[in-house]
Amino acid sequence: MKIIVIGSGYVGLVTGACLSETGIDVCCVDTDAAKIAFLGQGKVPIYEPGLQEIVERNIRTGRLHFTTDVSACIGGADVVFIAVGTPPDQDGSADTHSVIEVARTIGRTITGYTVVAVKSTVPVGTTQQVGTEIRKELHKRNASIEFDVVSNPEFLKEGRAVSDFMTPDRVVVGAESTRAERTMELLYKPFMMTRNRMLFTDIATAEMIKYAANAMLATRISFMNEMANLCERVGADIDNVRRGIGADPRIGAKFLYAGCGYGGSCFPKDVRALIATADRFGYPMPLLRAVDRINEAQKEIPFRKLKDHFDGHLENRTIAVWGLSFKPDTDDIREAPALVVIERLLKAGCRVKAYDPAATETVRKKLGDKILLADDMYAAAEGADSLVVMTEWRQFRHPDWLRLLGVMRHPVLIDGRNIYDRGMLIRIGFAYYRIG
């Protein structure tokens, strides 16, 4: 098979690289010439465990290619993936402009039967619109070329994207023809050797599954954060509440961790896009509006706890922040709670020293010299009036507490991810605050 992936960002690059691992010839296309040149050298512009090695290996074997010219590689393609971004518009809806432009490009360049698979996260109805735009371009060419469009949403978790693609818990395909279904089934067969986890639906359902999945996960997080905030007021322990309700098989134990809110490229954007879609159909979505509102408020809590500890006097204090990415094992800082806290600290007149194992350069590009980015976690904490932990990287889980006591000006710890033992830290001399 020959595969084209248009869009070499996070989803497109992981898709193309992992498909090339199965022996398929894959060409990744992007309009960013600098990115394509970088990728062509076997270098990966994002931090994702295992991805660098796969890209290097498949470039060497000649199965993975990168170009800015879709017309140079689209001939004879069996499947063309659309994997461009759908950033939030001003009203929270997904901006599908790039998806539609790619559809037009496909219509102008395909030479034979092709399955066009929309992997970008798009509102219900967009995949059908892709088909309409392709037909318009074919009509302009006076070309009678068969094609099918399918919805093939991604369910990749940042930090585990490679393993998620290689061993998916499900592959969803929304299609309207048996021919398209068989093509996609053949494409994904190498990833289904132990158990077929493909789900075929109509196109609108496949588009909806993606949004519904992320909305459900976001809802669980905001629910637990609401419970944590109430636990603080009534004197209950949110960790034991989590264990108690998670033991119920109807609920399950995953995504029940309280903390300082979710971020990233998916949950915030997709929740708001689903709300915007509901608005267009006259349904207000009160539950998801609350989920989004709760999450944004939750990002403020570490700052409020810090401010309360110092009786509102934060001017000229040095605050250390561990963790800048929105979650571990990624350098993605989109909608990261740490950025909200840092913004509040700077406005309050604090000096911020921060450390992250992967996101330092990403933050440097965004914040410049507004904060001091340290080379290691202890350097960030040196001379600090407080340490705020915002991302649960593994290396933060068992620090040298006595060393921290020795380098910090005041032993104040705000645990935004509830990863530490309260009793132990209080015994050794820390003022310790957590969520719930």
Side-chain angles (χ1 to χ4, degrees):
M1 298 182 79
K2 181 179 179 181
I3 305 299
I4 310 298
V5 182
I6 301 179
S8 295
Y10 186 87
V11 173
L13 182 56
V14 171
T15 298
C18 290
L19 286 173
S20 69
E21 275 283 275
T22 68
I24 293 174
D25 185 77
V26 179
C27 183
C28 293
V29 183
D30 202 282
T31 57
D32 187 334
K35 180 194 291 183
I36 289 297
F38 193 73
L39 288 166
Q41 299 170 28
K43 299 176 182 177
V44 175
I46 58 175
Y47 179 84
E48 181 61 42
L51 185 58
Q52 177 80 49
E53 294 80 3
I54 291 177
V55 170
E56 291 176 349
R57 180 164 56 250
N58 286 284
I59 288 177
R60 285 196 306 269
T61 58
R63 293 191 295 262
L64 184 59
H65 319 273
F66 297 94
T67 183
T68 57
D69 185 4
V70 65
S71 61
C73 61
I74 203 167
D78 297 283
V79 181
V80 177
F81 283 98
I82 299 178
V84 294
T86 53
D89 221 331
Q90 290 184 345
D91 63 354
S93 62
D95 182 352
T96 60
H97 174 78
S98 294
V99 172
I100 299 307
E101 282 302 311
V102 169
R104 293 169 181 154
T105 299
I106 292 170
R108 291 191 290 264
T109 53
I110 56 172
T111 58
Y113 175 75
T114 308
V115 175
V116 178
V118 179
K119 192 162 275 294
S120 302
T121 301
V122 295
V124 174
T126 306
T127 301
Q128 296 285 13
Q129 189 180 356
V130 165
T132 299
E133 296 300 325
I134 294 173
R135 280 187 287 275
K136 287 179 181 178
E137 295 300 326
L138 289 173
H139 180 72
K140 291 177 185 178
R141 294 167 56 190
N142 196 26
S144 180
I145 298 173
E146 289 187 79
F147 72 95
D148 280 305
V149 292
V150 302
S151 172
N152 179 215
E154 55 85 16
F155 300 98
L156 306 177
K157 297 184 289 293
E158 293 192 42
R160 292 194 56 189
V162 171
S163 61
D164 282 350
F165 198 99
M166 295 295 195
T167 55
D169 47 29
R170 81 281 207 198
V171 173
V172 175
V173 176
E176 293 182 339
S177 83
T178 301
R179 187 177 184 183
E181 287 186 4
R182 287 175 177 169
T183 300
M184 297 302 287
E185 192 170 26
L186 178 62
L187 177 64
Y188 281 107
K189 186 176 180 180
F191 308 103
M192 303 286 156
M193 299 305 288
T194 58
R195 182 167 60 90
N196 192 331
R197 298 173 295 280
M198 293 196 73
L199 172 63
F200 289 101
T201 71
D202 60 84
I203 289 174
T205 299
E207 291 171 323
M208 192 66 188
I209 286 171
K210 168 65 177 181
Y211 280 108
N214 280 350
M216 171 60 80
L217 295 173
T219 299
R220 286 172 70 96
I221 293 171
S222 283
F223 173 81
M224 288 306 293
N225 284 335
E226 281 278 77
M227 293 300 102
N229 296 337
L230 181 58
C231 281
E232 287 193 5
R233 288 159 175 77
V234 303
D237 185 334
I238 189 60
D239 279 344
N240 283 327
V241 170
R242 171 180 58 81
R243 293 186 184 98
I245 67 174
D248 186 329
R250 297 170 299 174
I251 297 173
K254 293 183 178 180
F255 270 81
L256 291 182
Y257 289 88
C260 51
Y262 58 76
S265 63
C266 293
F267 288 3
K269 176 176 74 72
D270 291 353
V271 167
R272 292 165 195 159
L274 191 54
I275 292 170
T277 296
D279 281 343
R280 289 201 301 274
F281 287 87
Y283 183 67
M285 278 284 190
L287 175 60
L288 288 190
R289 290 180 189 277
V291 167
D292 185 49
R293 186 173 61 251
I294 291 164
N295 186 64
E296 291 308 298
Q298 199 72 13
K299 294 178 182 180
E300 304 271 357
I301 287 180
F303 173 75
R304 293 208 304 268
K305 289 180 178 292
L306 191 63
K307 189 176 180 180
D308 288 345
H309 176 83
F310 288 109
D311 296 322
H313 302 299
L314 291 176
E315 300 88 353
N316 299 317
R317 293 195 181 275
T318 297
I319 308 300
V321 176
W322 282 0
L324 300 168
S325 57
F326 84 94
K327 63 178 285 189
D329 297 318
T330 181
D331 61 351
D332 194 341
I333 61 170
R334 286 173 287 185
E335 303 269 358
L339 298 186
V340 174
V341 169
I342 288 171
E343 180 185 353
R344 299 297 183 272
L345 291 171
L346 293 175
K347 284 184 178 179
C350 297
R351 177 173 180 251
V352 178
K353 297 170 68 179
Y355 171 75
D356 188 280
T360 298
E361 291 308 312
T362 314
V363 171
R364 197 187 308 277
K365 292 175 184 176
K366 184 175 180 66
L367 297 181
D369 59 359
K370 292 181 179 179
I371 66 173
L372 176 64
L373 293 164
D375 293 329
D376 68 68
M377 54 198 280
Y378 297 104
E382 189 170 352
D385 292 290
S386 177
L387 169 62
V388 183
V389 180
M390 296 297 297
T391 315
E392 63 275 31
W393 284 90
R394 289 186 187 89
Q395 70 183 78
F396 298 159
R397 290 184 176 271
H398 292 289
D400 184 335
W401 295 114
L402 295 181
R403 182 177 177 182
L404 275 176
L405 283 171
V407 300
M408 292 179 66
R409 182 179 291 119
H410 298 292
V412 180
L413 176 58
I414 311 294
D415 182 1
R417 295 298 176 185
N418 289 3
I419 58 176
Y420 301 125
D421 183 321
R422 175 197 282 115
M424 182 270 291
L425 287 172
I426 291 174
R427 282 196 302 274
I428 64 175
F430 278 92
Y432 176 77
Y433 303 92
R434 67 205 302 264
I435 311 295

